[in-house]
Amino acid sequence: MTEAAFAGFRLIRREPRTIAIWAVFNLAAGMALTAAMIQSGFGRFMGESKAGTMSPEIMVGFLIGEGVAIVGTILIASIMGAAVYRAILRPTEAPLTRLRFGGDELRLILLSVIVSLLFAVLSLALFIPVAILGVAIGSGFGHGESVGATAGVVLVTLLGYLLVLIGLVYFAVRLSLAGVMTFAERRLRVFESWRLTKGRFWPLLGAYGLAVALMIPIYLVMTTLYFGVSVAFAGGDFSRAASEVFQPDMTTLAAYFSPARIAYLVFGGAVGGVLTAVTYAPAAAVYRDIAETRPENQAEVFS
């Protein structure tokens, strides 16, 4: 399964035109989503929060902006994910037709909502015992002033959060094939992934971990290039460039879409096409290798 980590890169080499199409779509969708957030009032909230003032109207605008961001992100991710699944599982399909919106994407959207709610509940269930344990240990050492007692509390708390993280990663890996299964079988599949990944946790974790490791240099190159462009537009002012990178002005469309930010969006769109392939392809490749994806065989394989 380690070979699955390279599935996205093989797709990039095989179909550079497809990656270019995804890059353009990613750029256009990202710009449209950001513009919608700014217009909804999200940017005004950011400006008011910096000024230390807040009004109910601004807060409503912020909540609407957050809602737009969440819905838009899920929509874009579902369209892009389905496109990658088509490229891996249906390679003969024309690249231009892989980006579309229909039943496959709607099922992936519904799956994303269900899985997000599931992980929210799971996170809460795992964090509550850790929080209670931390409070109990802290109360037990409440009258102690030693450095050792404080270090013990911190160590136990960190260990607890580490165990929570391990638990979330475990569940994420076991449910990692839900998306591609839902796409391939054209019906909502959530916990069926748990059965399909039984006995395959470590190979899957290795494949996904390797894919993430391969993406890190891409992120670093993108960030370095963007920061360099920002410094150039800022006239060599590193402080102003850092502010542009990490805290862009979202109060208005004109303020946000500065020359440096437009350059970033272009870089991000181009890299986004690559990252889309690298992110979604491993699970699709694993599913393809584990089970037959032909409709006439799916009933037998998954009965």
Side-chain angles (χ1 to χ4, degrees):
M1 288 187 186
T2 304
E3 283 295 312
F6 299 95
F9 291 97
R10 286 195 292 269
L11 176 61
I12 294 168
R13 184 180 59 184
R14 186 183 79 213
E15 300 186 28
R17 181 188 172 198
T18 297
I19 305 304
I21 293 172
W22 292 348
V24 173
F25 174 80
N26 190 65
L27 172 62
M31 293 181 70
L33 177 58
T34 302
M37 289 177 59
I38 294 173
Q39 290 295 92
S40 69
F42 182 84
R44 289 193 297 274
F45 169 83
M46 301 300 290
E48 292 288 338
S49 63
K50 290 180 181 179
T53 59
M54 195 62 60
S55 66
E57 180 183 356
I58 295 297
M59 194 64 193
V60 170
F62 168 74
L63 294 176
I64 294 175
E66 282 287 290
V68 169
I70 293 172
V71 172
T73 300
I74 292 177
L75 175 61
I76 294 171
S78 298
I79 293 174
M80 298 290 278
V84 178
Y85 296 154
R86 290 187 183 100
I88 298 296
L89 302 180
R90 307 171 193 168
T92 58
E93 190 169 326
L96 284 174
T97 65
R98 290 173 184 158
L99 279 175
R100 58 180 184 260
F101 185 77
D104 292 331
E105 289 74 17
L106 285 172
R107 283 185 288 271
L108 288 177
I109 289 173
L110 180 58
L111 177 68
S112 295
V113 172
I114 293 174
V115 172
S116 296
L117 293 175
L118 178 64
F119 271 86
V121 172
L122 178 63
S123 299
L124 187 62
L126 291 174
F127 273 113
I128 287 177
V130 173
I132 294 175
L133 179 62
V135 171
I137 294 175
S139 300
F141 287 109
H143 301 291
E145 301 294 335
S146 69
V147 175
T150 303
V153 173
V154 172
L155 181 61
V156 170
T157 303
L158 290 177
L159 180 60
Y161 283 115
L162 177 60
L163 292 175
V164 169
L165 178 61
I166 291 174
L168 292 176
V169 169
Y170 178 78
F171 277 90
V173 171
R174 293 300 304 274
L175 296 177
S176 62
L177 300 184
V180 66
M181 290 181 72
T182 294
F183 172 84
E185 301 177 32
R186 292 186 171 91
R187 52 179 172 166
L188 193 63
R189 309 292 264 172
V190 182
F191 298 106
E192 287 79 5
S193 171
W194 193 272
R195 179 168 54 84
L196 200 61
T197 57
K198 182 179 180 181
R200 297 184 172 97
F201 172 78
W202 291 112
L204 285 171
L205 180 63
Y208 298 149
L210 180 56
V212 170
L214 293 172
M215 283 190 283
I216 292 176
I218 300 175
Y219 276 114
L220 291 177
V221 169
M222 175 184 168
T223 303
T224 302
L225 288 174
Y226 174 48
F227 190 73
V229 171
S230 298
V231 171
F233 278 112
D237 188 338
F238 283 87
S239 177
R240 179 182 164 191
S243 178
E244 176 70 28
V245 172
F246 300 109
Q247 293 182 319
D249 187 349
M250 298 185 68
T251 54
T252 64
L253 291 175
Y256 180 80
F257 289 106
S258 64
R261 178 57 55 171
I262 291 174
Y264 166 75
L265 292 173
V266 172
F267 280 132
V271 174
V274 173
L275 293 180
T276 296
V278 177
T279 300
Y280 290 99
V286 168
Y287 176 83
R288 181 194 59 198
D289 294 341
I290 289 177
E292 292 287 338
T293 57
R294 294 193 301 272
E296 65 268 26
N297 291 339
Q298 287 172 3
E300 178 182 350
V301 173
F302 295 100
S303 60

